[in-house]
Amino acid sequence: MKKFFHVILIMFLCSKLFSQIGFGTVGGIDLYQRYVNPEDEIAYPASGNAMLNLIYGPKVWLGNKYISLSVEAQINLGLTSFAVKDFKGMGAVAFPLIAKINYKGLSGFLPGFAKGVSIGGGLQYSKTELIFSKIYRDKGVKRSFFKTYVMEIDYGIGSFGSAGYFYLRYGMNKNSEASTLNIGILYNINRTYVKKHKDYIKPKKKK
């Protein structure tokens, strides 16, 4: 009898939590990013950038106005990323896949205006020196995609399926000693929710 009650309780909570589903996008810019490649003992492993960092990708939400789960996949392109210590080339790209728990203003389903937070984690594949110097390539330096396990925290404001927020994402891989750091501003839109509630978002014009 007790197990049956637990099953009913779990089903009830899931029905409340996953009462809505939404599809949309996330985009923005990094204010700062730093990627540390696996150490090769040949060249300086890090590369950083503080401008021209563009972010975009799809996002899916499951939840309600108070709390939701989301999954997003981004492409993060750093056009002017380079290493200060020894210049090996320019450019960096990262592909993070993040799952998050989102509260209130960042839930993606809030029919109002409020602050909110998100916490999450996942994987990120990163690559530096997209334009790579032949001199360092001939020395045996390799700049392949490397994996890090990432954690992220967001804080911002949202309303009617849209939200803008600051984010910080840190990743590391103990096996390769690689690490990643991304700090920036993101804006996401739950397009399913916005389309469904467009009459509330845009007041009707008076005749």
Side-chain angles (χ1 to χ4, degrees):
M1 187 68 179
K2 188 179 290 186
K3 289 183 179 179
F4 177 76
F5 175 77
H6 288 162
V7 171
I8 296 298
L9 179 61
I10 291 171
M11 291 177 64
F12 175 77
L13 291 175
C14 287
S15 68
K16 291 296 183 181
L17 181 61
F18 303 130
S19 59
Q20 298 183 72
I21 183 170
F23 300 90
T25 56
V26 57
I29 59 171
D30 267 353
L31 302 175
Y32 179 73
Q33 59 181 214
R34 187 173 188 267
Y35 304 137
V36 180
N37 288 269
E39 181 63 62
D40 59 11
E41 298 183 356
I42 302 174
Y44 185 63
S47 178
N49 192 15
M51 59 181 180
L52 295 179
N53 305 308
L54 309 177
I55 304 166
Y56 192 76
K59 188 167 183 174
V60 180
W61 292 261
L62 287 169
N64 57 42
K65 63 183 180 180
Y66 300 111
I67 186 171
S68 69
L69 302 178
S70 64
V71 177
E72 61 191 74
Q74 304 173 7
I75 177 170
N76 186 315
L77 184 61
L79 298 176
T80 57
S81 180
F82 66 97
V84 176
K85 190 172 182 179
D86 52 5
F87 183 79
K88 298 177 288 298
M90 293 190 69
V93 66
F95 297 96
L97 177 61
I98 310 292
K100 297 178 183 176
I101 301 174
N102 314 291
Y103 298 95
K104 292 190 177 180
L106 301 191
S107 71
F109 300 104
L110 185 71
F113 185 85
K115 297 178 181 178
V117 296
S118 298
I119 55 173
L123 294 173
Q124 179 165 306
Y125 291 88
S126 310
K127 177 180 172 65
T128 64
E129 280 82 33
L130 299 180
I131 302 174
F132 195 26
S133 167
K134 186 177 182 301
I135 296 174
Y136 282 91
R137 186 182 292 111
D138 292 343
K139 289 181 179 181
V141 178
K142 296 181 180 180
R143 286 296 181 258
S144 304
F145 278 97
F146 63 92
K147 178 174 67 175
T148 52
Y149 301 92
V150 298
M151 294 292 293
E152 180 175 324
I153 183 167
D154 310 329
Y155 178 76
I157 298 174
S159 176
F160 281 100
S162 298
Y165 52 94
F166 292 95
Y167 90 99
L168 185 151
R169 182 191 305 135
Y170 177 76
M172 63 182 300
N173 188 327
K174 291 183 179 180
N175 294 329
S176 65
E177 297 185 356
S179 66
T180 56
L181 175 64
N182 297 83
I183 302 172
I185 301 173
L186 294 176
Y187 181 78
N188 57 222
I189 304 175
N190 181 342
R191 298 186 184 278
T192 304
Y193 189 84
V194 170
K195 184 177 181 180
K196 185 178 179 181
H197 295 79
K198 61 182 179 180
D199 292 335
Y200 296 97
I201 299 170
K202 296 180 180 180
K204 294 180 180 179
K205 294 181 179 180
K206 295 182 179 180
K207 293 181 180 181

